[in-house]
Coordinates of all heavy atoms in Angstrom, one line a residue:
M675 N 0.8 -1.2 0.0 CA 0.0 0.0 0.0 C 0.9 1.2 0.0 O 1.9 1.3 0.7 CB -0.9 0.0 1.2 CG -1.8 1.3 1.3 SD -3.0 1.2 2.5 CE -2.1 1.5 4.0
L676 N 0.5 2.2 -0.8 CA 1.2 3.5 -0.8 C 0.2 4.6 -0.5 O -1.0 4.6 -1.0 CB 1.8 3.8 -2.2 CG 2.8 2.8 -2.7 CD1 3.2 3.2 -4.2 CD2 4.0 2.8 -1.9
N677 N 0.5 5.5 0.4 CA -0.3 6.7 0.7 C 0.3 7.8 -0.1 O 1.5 8.1 0.0 CB -0.2 7.0 2.2 CG -0.9 6.0 3.1 OD1 -1.9 5.3 2.6 ND2 -0.4 5.8 4.3
V678 N -0.6 8.5 -0.8 CA -0.2 9.6 -1.6 C -0.9 10.9 -1.1 O -2.1 10.9 -1.0 CB -0.6 9.4 -3.1 CG1 -0.1 10.6 -4.0 CG2 0.1 8.1 -3.6
F679 N -0.1 11.9 -0.9 CA -0.5 13.2 -0.4 C -0.2 14.3 -1.5 O 1.0 14.3 -1.9 CB 0.1 13.6 0.9 CG -0.1 12.6 2.0 CD1 0.8 11.5 2.2 CD2 -1.3 12.6 2.8 CE1 0.6 10.6 3.2 CE2 -1.5 11.6 3.7 CZ -0.6 10.6 3.9
A680 N -1.1 15.1 -1.8 CA -0.8 16.1 -2.8 C -0.8 17.5 -2.2 O -1.7 17.8 -1.4 CB -1.9 16.1 -3.9
A681 N 0.1 18.3 -2.5 CA 0.2 19.7 -2.1 C -0.2 20.6 -3.3 O 0.4 20.4 -4.4 CB 1.6 20.1 -1.6
G682 N -1.1 21.5 -3.1 CA -1.6 22.3 -4.2 C -0.7 23.4 -4.7 O 0.2 23.9 -3.9
N683 N -0.9 23.9 -5.9 CA -0.3 25.0 -6.4 C -1.2 26.2 -6.2 O -2.3 26.2 -6.6 CB -0.1 24.8 -7.9 CG 0.6 25.9 -8.7 OD1 0.5 27.0 -8.2 ND2 1.2 25.6 -9.7
L684 N -0.7 27.3 -5.5 CA -1.6 28.4 -5.1 C -2.2 29.1 -6.3 O -3.3 29.6 -6.3 CB -0.8 29.4 -4.3 CG -0.4 28.9 -2.9 CD1 0.4 30.0 -2.2 CD2 -1.6 28.5 -2.1
K685 N -1.5 29.1 -7.4 CA -2.0 29.8 -8.6 C -3.0 28.9 -9.4 O -3.9 29.4 -10.0 CB -0.8 30.2 -9.6 CG 0.1 31.2 -9.0 CD 1.2 31.6 -9.9 CE 2.1 32.6 -9.2 NZ 3.2 32.9 -10.0
R686 N -2.8 27.6 -9.3 CA -3.7 26.6 -9.9 C -4.0 25.5 -8.9 O -3.4 24.4 -9.0 CB -3.1 26.1 -11.2 CG -2.9 27.2 -12.2 CD -2.5 26.7 -13.6 NE -2.0 25.3 -13.6 CZ -1.0 24.9 -14.4 NH1 -0.3 25.8 -15.1 NH2 -0.6 23.7 -14.4
P687 N -4.9 25.7 -8.0 CA -5.2 24.7 -6.9 C -5.6 23.3 -7.4 O -5.4 22.3 -6.8 CB -6.3 25.3 -6.1 CG -6.6 26.6 -6.6 CD -5.7 26.9 -7.9
Q688 N -6.1 23.3 -8.6 CA -6.5 22.0 -9.2 C -5.4 21.2 -9.7 O -5.5 20.0 -10.0 CB -7.6 22.2 -10.3 CG -7.1 22.7 -11.6 CD -6.9 24.2 -11.6 OE1 -7.0 24.9 -10.6 NE2 -6.5 24.8 -12.7
T689 N -4.2 21.8 -9.8 CA -3.0 21.1 -10.3 C -1.9 21.0 -9.2 O -1.2 21.9 -8.9 CB -2.4 21.9 -11.5 OG1 -3.4 22.1 -12.4 CG2 -1.2 21.1 -12.1
P690 N -1.8 19.9 -8.5 CA -0.8 19.7 -7.4 C 0.6 19.9 -8.0 O 0.9 19.4 -9.1 CB -1.1 18.3 -6.9 CG -2.4 17.9 -7.4 CD -2.7 18.7 -8.7
S691 N 1.4 20.5 -7.2 CA 2.8 20.7 -7.7 C 3.8 19.8 -6.9 O 4.9 19.7 -7.3 CB 3.2 22.1 -7.5 OG 3.0 22.5 -6.1
L692 N 3.3 19.1 -5.9 CA 4.1 18.2 -5.1 C 3.3 17.1 -4.6 O 2.2 17.3 -4.1 CB 4.7 19.0 -3.9 CG 5.5 18.2 -2.9 CD1 6.8 17.7 -3.4 CD2 5.7 19.0 -1.6
F693 N 3.8 15.9 -4.7 CA 3.2 14.7 -4.2 C 4.2 14.1 -3.2 O 5.4 14.0 -3.5 CB 2.9 13.7 -5.3 CG 1.8 14.1 -6.2 CD1 2.1 14.7 -7.4 CD2 0.5 13.8 -5.9 CE1 1.1 15.1 -8.3 CE2 -0.5 14.2 -6.8 CZ -0.2 14.8 -8.0
V694 N 3.7 13.7 -2.1 CA 4.5 12.9 -1.1 C 3.9 11.5 -1.0 O 2.7 11.4 -0.8 CB 4.5 13.6 0.3 CG1 5.2 12.7 1.3 CG2 5.1 15.0 0.2
V695 N 4.7 10.5 -1.3 CA 4.3 9.2 -1.3 C 4.9 8.5 -0.1 O 6.1 8.5 0.1 CB 4.6 8.4 -2.6 CG1 4.1 7.0 -2.5 CG2 4.0 9.2 -3.8
D696 N 4.1 7.9 0.8 CA 4.6 7.3 2.0 C 4.3 5.8 1.9 O 3.3 5.4 1.4 CB 3.8 7.9 3.2 CG 4.2 7.2 4.5 OD1 5.4 6.9 4.7 OD2 3.3 7.0 5.3
T697 N 5.2 5.0 2.4 CA 5.1 3.6 2.5 C 4.9 3.2 3.9 O 5.8 3.0 4.7 CB 6.3 2.8 1.9 OG1 7.5 3.3 2.5 CG2 6.4 3.0 0.4
P698 N 3.6 3.1 4.4 CA 3.3 2.9 5.8 C 3.9 1.5 6.2 O 3.8 0.5 5.5 CB 1.8 2.9 5.9 CG 1.3 2.9 4.5 CD 2.4 3.2 3.6
G699 N 4.6 1.6 7.4 CA 5.1 0.4 8.0 C 6.5 0.0 7.4 O 7.1 -1.0 7.7
Y700 N 7.0 0.9 6.5 CA 8.3 0.6 5.9 C 9.4 0.3 7.0 O 9.5 1.0 7.9 CB 8.8 1.7 5.0 CG 10.2 1.5 4.5 CD1 10.4 0.8 3.3 CD2 11.3 2.0 5.1 CE1 11.7 0.5 2.8 CE2 12.6 1.8 4.6 CZ 12.7 1.1 3.5 OH 14.0 0.8 3.0
G701 N 10.1 -0.7 6.8 CA 11.2 -1.1 7.7 C 10.8 -2.0 8.8 O 11.6 -2.6 9.4
I702 N 9.5 -2.0 9.1 CA 9.0 -2.9 10.2 C 8.2 -4.0 9.5 O 7.1 -3.9 9.2 CB 8.0 -2.1 11.1 CG1 8.7 -0.9 11.7 CG2 7.5 -3.0 12.2 CD1 7.8 0.0 12.5
G703 N 9.0 -5.1 9.2 CA 8.3 -6.2 8.6 C 8.1 -6.1 7.1 O 7.4 -6.8 6.5
S704 N 8.8 -5.1 6.5 CA 8.7 -4.9 5.0 C 9.2 -6.1 4.3 O 10.2 -6.7 4.8 CB 9.4 -3.7 4.6 OG 8.8 -2.5 5.1
T705 N 8.6 -6.4 3.2 CA 9.1 -7.5 2.4 C 9.6 -7.0 1.0 O 9.1 -5.9 0.6 CB 8.1 -8.6 2.2 OG1 7.0 -8.1 1.4 CG2 7.5 -9.1 3.5
K706 N 10.4 -7.8 0.4 CA 10.8 -7.4 -1.0 C 9.6 -7.3 -1.9 O 9.6 -6.5 -2.8 CB 11.9 -8.4 -1.5 CG 13.2 -8.3 -0.7 CD 14.2 -9.3 -1.2 CE 15.5 -9.2 -0.4 NZ 16.5 -10.2 -0.8
E707 N 8.6 -8.2 -1.7 CA 7.5 -8.2 -2.6 C 6.7 -6.8 -2.4 O 6.3 -6.3 -3.4 CB 6.5 -9.3 -2.2 CG 7.1 -10.7 -2.6 CD 8.1 -11.2 -1.6 OE1 8.1 -10.8 -0.4 OE2 8.9 -12.0 -2.0
Q708 N 6.6 -6.3 -1.2 CA 6.0 -5.0 -1.0 C 6.8 -3.9 -1.7 O 6.2 -2.9 -2.2 CB 5.9 -4.7 0.5 CG 4.9 -5.6 1.2 CD 5.0 -5.4 2.7 OE1 6.1 -5.3 3.3 NE2 3.9 -5.3 3.4
M709 N 8.1 -4.0 -1.7 CA 8.9 -3.0 -2.3 C 8.8 -3.0 -3.8 O 9.1 -2.0 -4.5 CB 10.4 -3.2 -1.9 CG 10.6 -2.9 -0.4 SD 10.0 -1.2 0.2 CE 8.5 -1.6 1.1
H710 N 8.3 -4.1 -4.4 CA 8.1 -4.1 -5.9 C 7.0 -3.2 -6.2 O 7.0 -2.6 -7.3 CB 7.8 -5.5 -6.4 CG 9.0 -6.4 -6.5 ND1 10.0 -6.2 -7.5 CD2 9.5 -7.4 -5.7 CE1 10.9 -7.0 -7.3 NE2 10.7 -7.8 -6.3
L711 N 6.0 -3.0 -5.4 CA 5.0 -2.0 -5.6 C 5.6 -0.6 -5.7 O 5.3 0.2 -6.6 CB 3.9 -2.0 -4.5 CG 2.8 -1.0 -4.5 CD1 2.0 -1.2 -5.8 CD2 1.9 -1.2 -3.3
L712 N 6.5 -0.3 -4.8 CA 7.2 1.0 -4.8 C 8.0 1.1 -6.1 O 8.0 2.1 -6.7 CB 8.1 1.1 -3.6 CG 9.0 2.3 -3.5 CD1 8.1 3.6 -3.3 CD2 9.9 2.2 -2.3
G713 N 8.7 0.0 -6.5 CA 9.4 0.0 -7.7 C 8.6 0.3 -8.9 O 9.0 1.0 -9.8
D714 N 7.4 -0.3 -9.0 CA 6.5 0.0 -10.1 C 6.1 1.5 -10.1 O 6.0 2.1 -11.2 CB 5.2 -0.9 -10.0 CG 5.5 -2.4 -10.2 OD1 6.5 -2.7 -10.7 OD2 4.6 -3.2 -9.8
Y715 N 5.8 2.0 -8.9 CA 5.4 3.4 -8.9 C 6.6 4.3 -9.4 O 6.4 5.2 -10.2 CB 5.1 3.8 -7.4 CG 4.6 5.2 -7.3 CD1 3.2 5.5 -7.4 CD2 5.4 6.3 -7.0 CE1 2.8 6.8 -7.3 CE2 5.0 7.6 -6.9 CZ 3.7 7.8 -7.0 OH 3.2 9.1 -6.9
V716 N 7.8 4.0 -8.9 CA 9.0 4.8 -9.2 C 9.3 4.7 -10.7 O 9.6 5.6 -11.4 CB 10.2 4.4 -8.4 CG1 11.5 5.0 -8.9 CG2 10.0 4.8 -6.9
S717 N 9.2 3.4 -11.2 CA 9.5 3.2 -12.6 C 8.6 4.0 -13.6 O 9.1 4.5 -14.6 CB 9.3 1.7 -12.9 OG 9.6 1.4 -14.2
A718 N 7.3 4.1 -13.2 CA 6.4 4.9 -14.1 C 6.6 6.4 -14.0 O 6.1 7.1 -14.9 CB 5.0 4.5 -13.6
R719 N 7.4 6.9 -13.0 CA 7.5 8.3 -12.8 C 8.9 8.8 -12.6 O 9.2 9.9 -12.1 CB 6.7 8.7 -11.6 CG 5.2 8.4 -11.7 CD 4.5 8.4 -10.4 NE 3.1 8.2 -10.5 CZ 2.6 6.9 -10.7 NH1 3.3 5.9 -10.7 NH2 1.3 6.8 -10.8
R720 N 9.9 8.0 -12.9 CA 11.3 8.2 -12.4 C 11.8 9.6 -12.9 O 12.7 10.1 -12.3 CB 12.2 7.1 -12.8 CG 12.6 7.0 -14.2 CD 13.6 6.0 -14.4 NE 13.6 5.6 -15.8 CZ 13.3 4.4 -16.2 NH1 13.1 3.4 -15.4 NH2 13.2 4.1 -17.5
D721 N 11.4 10.1 -14.0 CA 11.9 11.4 -14.5 C 11.3 12.6 -13.8 O 11.8 13.7 -13.9 CB 11.5 11.5 -16.0 CG 12.2 10.5 -16.9 OD1 13.3 10.0 -16.4 OD2 11.7 10.2 -18.0
K722 N 10.2 12.3 -13.0 CA 9.5 13.4 -12.3 C 9.7 13.4 -10.8 O 8.9 14.1 -10.1 CB 8.1 13.3 -12.7 CG 7.8 13.4 -14.2 CD 6.4 13.2 -14.5 CE 6.2 13.2 -16.0 NZ 4.9 12.6 -16.4
L723 N 10.5 12.6 -10.3 CA 10.5 12.5 -8.8 C 11.9 12.4 -8.2 O 12.9 12.2 -8.9 CB 9.7 11.3 -8.4 CG 10.0 9.9 -8.9 CD1 11.2 9.3 -8.1 CD2 8.8 9.0 -8.7
L724 N 11.9 12.6 -6.9 CA 13.1 12.4 -6.1 C 12.6 11.6 -4.9 O 11.7 11.9 -4.2 CB 13.6 13.8 -5.6 CG 14.7 13.7 -4.5 CD1 16.0 13.1 -5.1 CD2 15.0 15.1 -4.0
C725 N 13.3 10.4 -4.8 CA 13.0 9.5 -3.7 C 13.8 9.8 -2.5 O 15.1 10.0 -2.6 CB 13.2 8.1 -4.1 SG 12.2 7.5 -5.5
L726 N 13.2 9.9 -1.3 CA 14.0 10.2 -0.1 C 13.8 8.9 0.8 O 12.7 8.5 1.1 CB 13.4 11.4 0.6 CG 13.4 12.7 -0.1 CD1 12.8 13.8 0.7 CD2 14.8 13.1 -0.5
L727 N 14.9 8.4 1.2 CA 14.9 7.2 2.1 C 15.4 7.7 3.4 O 16.5 8.2 3.6 CB 15.9 6.1 1.6 CG 16.0 4.9 2.4 CD1 14.7 4.2 2.5 CD2 17.1 4.0 1.8
L728 N 14.5 7.7 4.4 CA 14.8 8.2 5.8 C 15.3 7.0 6.5 O 14.7 5.9 6.6 CB 13.5 8.7 6.4 CG 12.8 9.9 5.7 CD1 11.6 10.3 6.5 CD2 13.8 11.0 5.5
V729 N 16.5 7.2 7.1 CA 17.2 6.1 7.9 C 17.4 6.6 9.3 O 17.9 7.7 9.5 CB 18.5 5.8 7.2 CG1 19.3 4.8 8.0 CG2 18.3 5.2 5.8
D730 N 17.1 5.7 10.3 CA 17.4 6.0 11.7 C 18.9 5.9 11.8 O 19.5 4.8 11.7 CB 16.7 5.0 12.6 CG 16.9 5.3 14.0 OD1 17.9 6.0 14.4 OD2 16.0 4.9 14.8
A731 N 19.6 7.0 12.1 CA 21.0 7.1 12.2 C 21.6 6.1 13.3 O 22.7 5.6 13.2 CB 21.5 8.5 12.4
S732 N 20.8 5.9 14.3 CA 21.3 5.0 15.4 C 21.3 3.6 15.0 O 22.0 2.7 15.6 CB 20.5 5.2 16.7 OG 19.1 4.8 16.5
H733 N 20.6 3.2 13.9 CA 20.5 1.8 13.5 C 21.3 1.6 12.2 O 21.6 0.5 11.8 CB 19.1 1.4 13.3 CG 18.3 1.3 14.6 ND1 18.5 0.4 15.5 CD2 17.3 2.1 15.0 CE1 17.7 0.6 16.5 NE2 17.0 1.6 16.3
G734 N 21.4 2.7 11.4 CA 22.1 2.5 10.1 C 21.2 1.8 9.1 O 20.0 1.6 9.3
L735 N 21.8 1.5 7.9 CA 21.1 0.9 6.9 C 20.7 -0.6 7.3 O 21.6 -1.3 7.7 CB 21.9 0.9 5.6 CG 22.0 2.2 4.9 CD1 23.0 2.1 3.7 CD2 20.7 2.8 4.5
K736 N 19.5 -0.9 7.1 CA 19.1 -2.3 7.3 C 19.0 -3.0 5.9 O 19.1 -2.4 4.9 CB 17.7 -2.3 8.0 CG 17.7 -1.7 9.4 CD 16.4 -1.8 10.0 CE 16.5 -1.2 11.4 NZ 15.2 -1.2 12.1
P737 N 18.9 -4.4 6.0 CA 18.9 -5.1 4.7 C 17.8 -4.6 3.7 O 18.0 -4.5 2.5 CB 18.6 -6.5 5.1 CG 19.2 -6.6 6.5 CD 19.0 -5.3 7.1
I738 N 16.6 -4.2 4.2 CA 15.5 -3.8 3.4 C 15.9 -2.4 2.7 O 15.6 -2.1 1.6 CB 14.2 -3.7 4.1 CG1 13.0 -3.5 3.0 CG2 14.1 -2.6 5.1 CD1 12.8 -4.7 2.2
D739 N 16.6 -1.6 3.5 CA 17.1 -0.3 3.0 C 18.1 -0.5 1.8 O 18.0 0.1 0.8 CB 17.8 0.5 4.0 CG 16.9 0.9 5.2 OD1 15.7 1.2 5.0 OD2 17.4 0.9 6.3
R740 N 19.0 -1.5 2.0 CA 20.0 -1.8 0.9 C 19.2 -2.3 -0.3 O 19.6 -2.0 -1.4 CB 21.0 -2.8 1.5 CG 21.9 -2.2 2.5 CD 22.9 -3.2 3.0 NE 23.6 -2.8 4.2 CZ 24.6 -1.9 4.2 NH1 25.0 -1.3 3.1 NH2 25.1 -1.5 5.4
Y741 N 18.2 -3.1 -0.1 CA 17.4 -3.7 -1.2 C 16.8 -2.5 -2.0 O 16.8 -2.5 -3.2 CB 16.4 -4.7 -0.7 CG 15.5 -5.2 -1.8 CD1 16.0 -6.3 -2.6 CD2 14.3 -4.7 -2.0 CE1 15.2 -6.8 -3.6 CE2 13.5 -5.2 -3.1 CZ 14.0 -6.2 -3.9 OH 13.2 -6.7 -4.9
V742 N 16.2 -1.6 -1.2 CA 15.5 -0.5 -1.9 C 16.5 0.4 -2.6 O 16.2 0.8 -3.8 CB 14.7 0.3 -0.9 CG1 14.2 1.6 -1.5 CG2 13.5 -0.5 -0.4
L743 N 17.7 0.6 -2.0 CA 18.7 1.4 -2.7 C 19.1 0.7 -4.0 O 19.3 1.4 -5.0 CB 19.9 1.7 -1.8 CG 19.6 2.7 -0.7 CD1 20.8 2.8 0.3 CD2 19.4 4.1 -1.3
D744 N 19.3 -0.6 -3.9 CA 19.7 -1.3 -5.2 C 18.6 -1.2 -6.2 O 18.9 -1.0 -7.4 CB 19.9 -2.8 -4.8 CG 21.2 -3.1 -4.1 OD1 22.1 -2.2 -4.0 OD2 21.3 -4.2 -3.5
L745 N 17.3 -1.3 -5.8 CA 16.2 -1.1 -6.7 C 16.2 0.3 -7.3 O 16.0 0.4 -8.6 CB 14.9 -1.4 -5.9 CG 13.6 -1.2 -6.7 CD1 13.5 -2.3 -7.8 CD2 12.4 -1.4 -5.8
L746 N 16.4 1.3 -6.5 CA 16.5 2.7 -7.1 C 17.6 2.9 -8.0 O 17.5 3.5 -9.1 CB 16.5 3.7 -5.9 CG 15.3 3.8 -5.0 CD1 15.6 4.7 -3.8 CD2 14.1 4.2 -5.8
H747 N 18.8 2.3 -7.7 CA 19.9 2.3 -8.7 C 19.6 1.6 -10.0 O 19.8 2.2 -11.1 CB 21.1 1.7 -8.0 CG 21.8 2.5 -7.0 ND1 22.8 3.5 -7.4 CD2 21.7 2.6 -5.7 CE1 23.2 4.1 -6.3 NE2 22.6 3.6 -5.3
E748 N 19.0 0.5 -9.9 CA 18.6 -0.3 -11.1 C 17.6 0.5 -11.9 O 17.7 0.5 -13.2 CB 18.0 -1.6 -10.6 CG 17.5 -2.5 -11.8 CD 16.9 -3.8 -11.3 OE1 17.4 -4.4 -10.3 OE2 15.9 -4.2 -11.8
L749 N 16.7 1.2 -11.3 CA 15.7 2.0 -12.0 C 16.2 3.3 -12.5 O 15.5 4.1 -13.2 CB 14.4 2.2 -11.1 CG 13.6 0.9 -10.8 CD1 12.6 1.3 -9.8 CD2 13.0 0.3 -12.0
E750 N 17.4 3.6 -12.1 CA 18.1 4.9 -12.4 C 17.2 6.1 -11.9 O 17.0 7.1 -12.6 CB 18.4 5.1 -13.9 CG 19.3 4.0 -14.4 CD 19.6 4.1 -15.8 OE1 19.0 5.0 -16.5 OE2 20.5 3.3 -16.3
A751 N 16.6 5.9 -10.7 CA 15.8 6.9 -10.1 C 16.6 7.9 -9.3 O 17.5 7.5 -8.6 CB 14.7 6.3 -9.2
N752 N 16.2 9.2 -9.3 CA 16.9 10.2 -8.5 C 16.5 9.9 -7.0 O 15.3 9.7 -6.7 CB 16.4 11.6 -8.8 CG 16.8 12.0 -10.2 OD1 17.9 11.7 -10.6 ND2 15.9 12.7 -10.9
H753 N 17.5 9.8 -6.2 CA 17.2 9.5 -4.8 C 18.3 10.1 -3.8 O 19.4 10.4 -4.3 CB 17.1 8.0 -4.5 CG 18.3 7.2 -4.8 ND1 18.7 6.9 -6.1 CD2 19.3 6.8 -4.0 CE1 19.8 6.3 -6.1 NE2 20.2 6.2 -4.9
Q754 N 17.9 10.2 -2.6 CA 18.8 10.7 -1.5 C 18.5 9.9 -0.3 O 17.4 9.5 -0.1 CB 18.6 12.2 -1.2 CG 18.9 13.1 -2.3 CD 18.7 14.6 -1.9 OE1 18.2 14.9 -0.9 NE2 19.0 15.5 -2.9
V755 N 19.5 9.7 0.6 CA 19.3 9.1 1.9 C 19.5 10.2 2.9 O 20.4 10.9 2.9 CB 20.4 8.0 2.1 CG1 20.3 7.4 3.5 CG2 20.3 6.9 1.0
W756 N 18.4 10.3 3.7 CA 18.5 11.2 4.8 C 18.6 10.5 6.1 O 17.8 9.5 6.4 CB 17.2 12.1 4.8 CG 17.1 13.1 3.7 CD1 17.9 13.2 2.6 CD2 16.1 14.1 3.6 NE1 17.5 14.2 1.8 CE2 16.4 14.8 2.4 CE3 15.0 14.5 4.4 CZ2 15.6 15.9 2.0 CZ3 14.3 15.6 4.0 CH2 14.6 16.3 2.8
L757 N 19.5 10.9 7.0 CA 19.6 10.3 8.3 C 18.8 11.0 9.3 O 18.7 12.3 9.4 CB 21.1 10.4 8.8 CG 22.1 9.6 7.9 CD1 23.5 9.8 8.4 CD2 21.7 8.1 7.8
R758 N 18.1 10.3 10.1 CA 17.2 10.8 11.2 C 17.7 10.4 12.5 O 18.1 9.2 12.7 CB 15.8 10.2 11.0 CG 14.8 10.6 11.9 CD 13.4 10.0 11.6 NE 12.5 10.4 12.6 CZ 11.4 9.7 12.9 NH1 11.1 8.6 12.2 NH2 10.6 10.1 13.8
D759 N 17.9 11.3 13.4 CA 18.4 11.0 14.7 C 17.3 10.9 15.8 O 16.1 11.4 15.5 CB 19.5 11.9 15.2 CG 19.0 13.4 15.4 OD1 17.8 13.6 15.4 OD2 19.9 14.2 15.6
R760 N 17.6 10.4 16.9 CA 16.5 10.2 17.9 C 16.0 11.6 18.4 O 14.8 11.7 18.7 CB 17.1 9.4 19.1 CG 17.3 8.0 18.7 CD 17.4 7.1 20.0 NE 17.7 5.8 19.6 CZ 16.8 4.9 19.4 NH1 15.5 5.2 19.4 NH2 17.2 3.6 19.1
A761 N 16.8 12.6 18.5 CA 16.3 13.9 19.0 C 15.3 14.5 18.0 O 14.2 14.9 18.5 CB 17.5 14.9 19.1
S762 N 15.5 14.4 16.7 CA 14.5 14.9 15.8 C 13.3 14.1 15.8 O 12.2 14.5 15.6 CB 15.1 15.1 14.4 OG 15.5 13.8 13.9
A763 N 13.5 12.8 16.0 CA 12.3 11.9 16.0 C 11.4 12.2 17.2 O 10.2 12.2 17.1 CB 12.8 10.4 16.1
A764 N 12.0 12.5 18.3 CA 11.3 12.8 19.5 C 10.5 14.1 19.3 O 9.3 14.2 19.8 CB 12.2 13.0 20.7
L765 N 11.0 15.1 18.6 CA 10.3 16.3 18.3 C 9.1 16.0 17.4 O 8.0 16.6 17.6 CB 11.2 17.3 17.7 CG 12.3 17.9 18.6 CD1 13.3 18.8 17.8 CD2 11.7 18.7 19.8
L766 N 9.3 15.2 16.4 CA 8.2 14.9 15.5 C 7.1 14.1 16.1 O 6.0 14.2 15.7 CB 8.8 14.1 14.3 CG 9.7 14.9 13.4 CD1 10.3 14.0 12.3 CD2 9.0 16.1 12.7
D767 N 7.5 13.3 17.1 CA 6.5 12.4 17.7 C 5.6 13.1 18.8 O 4.7 12.6 19.3 CB 7.1 11.2 18.4 CG 7.7 10.3 17.3 OD1 7.3 10.3 16.2 OD2 8.6 9.5 17.7
Q768 N 5.9 14.4 19.1 CA 5.2 15.1 20.1 C 3.8 15.6 19.6 O 3.6 15.9 18.5 CB 6.0 16.3 20.6 CG 7.2 15.9 21.4 CD 8.0 17.0 21.9 OE1 7.6 18.2 21.7 NE2 9.1 16.8 22.6

């Protein structure tokens, strides 16, 4: 399952200028099969997107993260890895 959120364009509200796609539960029991759904989404839109992989800095890259990075490389998708620390996570969870 992918959750898609659209942010509108103030000049043309009917035309979103930014989409945020979230993979709920990513990293907690994610399977390679679930990540193929993400791969299909990215493959269809790779010229128009930037994928951000958020990684808990205290845990580092997990096997599923490495799998997704390999998938993004294979698809030649623009992507970045962002490290998240516990302090910022605590602020976001409030």
Side-chain angles (χ1 to χ4, degrees):
M675 178 170 75
L676 300 175
N677 291 329
V678 180
F679 304 92
N683 179 333
L684 293 178
K685 293 180 182 175
R686 294 188 347 220
Q688 71 281 7
T689 308
S691 56
L692 172 71
F693 292 93
V694 176
V695 180
D696 178 39
T697 52
Y700 174 84
I702 303 171
S704 295
T705 65
K706 292 179 181 179
E707 291 78 26
Q708 291 170 319
M709 294 303 106
H710 282 288
L711 177 61
L712 178 64
D714 292 344
Y715 184 89
V716 169
S717 181
R719 298 161 180 83
R720 76 171 156 243
D721 296 335
K722 301 173 184 161
L723 57 80
L724 171 65
C725 297
L726 301 176
L727 179 61
L728 302 179
V729 175
D730 185 336
S732 63
H733 295 289
L735 290 175
K736 294 182 178 182
I738 193 71
D739 299 323
R740 293 182 192 281
Y741 178 81
V742 168
L743 286 172
D744 288 344
L745 179 64
L746 293 173
H747 282 275
E748 181 181 317
L749 294 172
E750 298 179 357
N752 295 320
H753 63 279
Q754 296 178 357
V755 176
W756 288 10
L757 298 177
R758 180 178 175 203
D759 65 10
R760 291 196 183 272
S762 64
L765 289 174
L766 292 173
D767 292 338
Q768 292 180 0

